[in-house]
Amino acid sequence: MFYNTALTYLSNHFDYEYSPLKFLEPLGLKSNLLLYQDIAKIIEVFGLVDVISLDEIFEEFTIIKPAIPTVSFKNNLTVYEKWLELLSIQKLKKFEILLEFILSIPPSNSHVERVFSMMKLKWTDVKNRCSVDLIKNELMITLNILPSTNSSCTDFVNLVKDDTAFLNAVKSQKKYNWKN
């Protein structure tokens, strides 16, 4: 019931017919029907013609095409893992550029919503005198440094305590506009 309601809602509010995202389906490798025309259309629709030569991508496609059936039916692998397996066969520079671009498109806006939620928690009525730069830097540390090290604040201190350039920048008076 929920699925049908969600599908109806999406059909009414999202125009799949003219969405450039509909061209990405073959890159999901759910079947072995990936064609060169699909790749060329993706390059054209997303404006990558200046970055990826269609001749070079055709040469790389002919190299990778025979291996697609062996990977496409591995249902236990994600799209990323399937492409990693295919690209491990041989260095395919143009395919890597294409996939870096396409796979960096977020599938939802949940990350952005999370950032705004975290920003709202940091910039409250009590902390309303914080500068935009301070909130930005707190978010940068919270979102980029701590998750990448999968650590706590103590671990962060241990990470930066020997970084003299970082510590000098923190101790510097340059960050304060009102001090000389």
Side-chain angles (χ1 to χ4, degrees), residues 8-172:
T8 303
Y9 177 84
L10 289 173
S11 298
N12 291 336
H13 293 90
F14 186 75
D15 189 8
Y16 288 103
E17 185 65 29
Y18 299 105
S19 171
L21 300 177
K22 76 176 185 176
F23 297 107
L24 300 179
E25 186 176 358
L27 290 179
L29 298 175
K30 291 183 180 177
S31 69
N32 61 352
L33 298 176
L34 181 63
L35 304 172
Y36 168 72
Q37 292 84 351
D38 297 329
I39 303 297
K41 186 68 174 177
I42 291 168
I43 292 170
E44 176 189 327
V45 166
F46 286 92
L48 300 172
V49 178
D50 295 337
V51 180
I52 301 173
S53 162
L54 293 177
D55 292 336
E56 291 174 325
I57 201 80
F58 179 77
E59 289 175 15
E60 291 184 3
F61 181 75
T62 56
I63 294 169
I64 206 170
K65 178 72 174 162
I68 290 174
T70 61
V71 174
S72 64
F73 293 110
K74 293 184 178 180
N75 294 331
N76 59 330
L77 298 179
T78 65
V79 172
Y80 302 102
E81 292 168 335
K82 288 179 182 181
W83 279 107
L84 277 174
E85 193 170 315
L86 284 172
L87 293 175
S88 69
I89 296 169
Q90 186 171 348
K91 180 93 169 134
L92 303 170
K93 186 176 180 184
K94 297 302 177 181
F95 257 98
E96 286 179 7
I97 292 170
L98 175 66
L99 291 168
E100 283 176 4
F101 178 82
I102 297 300
L103 295 177
S104 69
I105 299 172
S108 72
N109 63 348
S110 62
H111 179 72
V112 175
E113 289 178 11
R114 191 175 122 226
V115 170
F116 277 102
S117 176
M118 292 175 78
M119 182 174 62
K120 185 178 176 184
L121 292 172
K122 292 186 179 300
W123 208 338
T124 63
D125 289 338
V126 176
K127 294 171 91 176
N128 64 359
R129 298 183 123 207
C130 295
S131 69
V132 173
D133 284 341
L134 175 66
I135 300 298
K136 174 188 166 195
N137 292 333
E138 283 185 16
L139 286 171
M140 294 293 283
I141 290 171
T142 305
L143 294 168
N144 296 319
I145 296 174
L146 295 178
S148 66
T149 58
N150 196 18
S151 61
S152 66
C153 291
T154 306
D155 294 332
F156 174 72
V157 169
N158 292 333
L159 178 71
V160 298
K161 71 180 178 184
D162 296 327
D163 187 348
T164 55
F166 178 79
L167 293 175
N168 288 336
V170 170
K171 293 175 185 175
S172 152

